[in-house]
Amino acid sequence: MAVALLFSAAIVGFLVIRGKRALVLVTLALGISGWLALAAGVQPGVAVLMGDTVAGTAVPPAPGLVPAGSMAPTTSAKPVAPDPMSLLKPGDCVEVPMEAATDASGAPTWKPGSPDPADCTSLDANYRVLQTGPEPCAGPLFKLETSRKDRSGKQLYHLCLAFDWRVGVCYDTAHMDEPSKVDCGTPGDHIVQATAVLEDSTSGAGCPRDGKGAVWVVWDKRRMTVCFRGGDDPGK
């Protein structure tokens, strides 16, 4: 449309030059209309070049394409689980395997193995935790300590242990310095049942008595007295 108007204006202009001045106004009108129409046709292209919004339907990006650098590498490393021994607290129990041995002088002694957490109600739970932390073991009931460090030298745990004497539990006292928990139906002259555990005491005067009498053992250094019912079938 704009080109046609401009072309018409050119023809009229030629006629004006030929002396037909009456067509001057027509020439001007056609020329102005042509330039306005041309400007209207060019405007949308300029808007696009200048970044203005153009109506239309957005095309989604191709699936699977992501901007460079947006996919950071991920790691699936699992955190290292803490040592179960480091989670123990005072009152918890452990199983410490004990092996008969001799000391430097040849006297009989016991060599403790690696401890493991244990249920206090089980027969394997022969020691209980008295103290945790890096401080030196203290208290008269302390009998055994165990600790472990990692490769860098950092302490993973340090436990102070005492033998686990419990009322109502039966023990084989053939080795009284290191007895073992047994089922109360176990026969034997050294099978006893604990009837009382008296801490901070060095006397059996407070031990309960029944028709079979009372037996007790006192540890002066540990300030502890354990009362027993002895003989075969002590649990009856």
Side-chain angles (χ1 to χ4, degrees):
M1 178 64 181
V3 175
L5 291 173
L6 290 174
F7 183 74
S8 300
I11 294 175
V12 175
F14 177 75
L15 293 177
V16 171
I17 294 173
R18 299 283 297 188
K20 296 180 180 181
R21 299 180 182 278
L23 297 176
V24 171
L25 295 177
V26 176
T27 302
L28 291 175
L30 292 174
I32 292 172
S33 300
W35 283 111
L36 290 175
L38 181 61
V42 173
Q43 182 63 30
V46 174
V48 173
L49 294 176
M50 294 299 291
D52 291 346
T53 301
V54 179
T57 303
V59 179
L65 300 180
V66 295
S70 64
M71 295 295 290
T74 58
T75 59
S76 58
K78 296 181 179 179
V80 179
D83 191 310
M85 294 290 291
S86 67
L87 304 178
L88 296 177
K89 57 186 181 298
D92 290 339
C93 294
V94 296
E95 175 189 0
V96 183
M98 303 299 292
E99 179 182 351
T102 55
D103 60 17
S105 65
T109 186
W110 296 92
K111 179 181 179 181
S114 298
D116 284 308
D119 187 333
C120 289
T121 62
S122 71
L123 297 180
D124 295 326
N126 53 347
Y127 280 84
R128 74 175 186 275
V129 179
L130 285 178
Q131 177 185 327
T132 63
E135 295 80 11
C137 295
L141 294 177
F142 157 66
K143 182 180 180 184
L144 187 68
E145 68 178 311
T146 180
S147 62
R148 182 184 177 189
K149 297 181 179 179
D150 61 16
R151 294 182 178 180
S152 67
K154 179 182 178 181
Q155 189 174 79
L156 298 177
Y157 63 82
H158 175 236
L159 305 176
C160 305
L161 308 174
F163 189 80
D164 189 47
W165 291 107
R166 289 181 180 268
V167 175
V169 175
C170 294
Y171 298 85
D172 184 344
T173 58
H175 302 284
M176 194 61 195
D177 53 342
E178 197 63 46
S180 58
K181 291 181 179 179
V182 295
D183 184 272
C184 288
T186 303
D189 294 337
H190 301 286
I191 306 301
V192 298
Q193 183 182 44
T195 58
V197 179
L198 309 177
E199 296 183 5
D200 197 24
S201 171
T202 56
S203 170
C207 289
R209 287 166 169 77
D210 55 23
K212 296 184 178 180
V215 178
W216 60 86
V217 176
V218 174
W219 286 269
D220 292 326
K221 291 183 179 180
R222 297 178 193 166
R223 296 193 57 78
M224 179 178 65
T225 299
V226 179
C227 311
F228 301 110
R229 177 185 294 116
D232 289 343
D233 301 326
K236 294 183 179 181

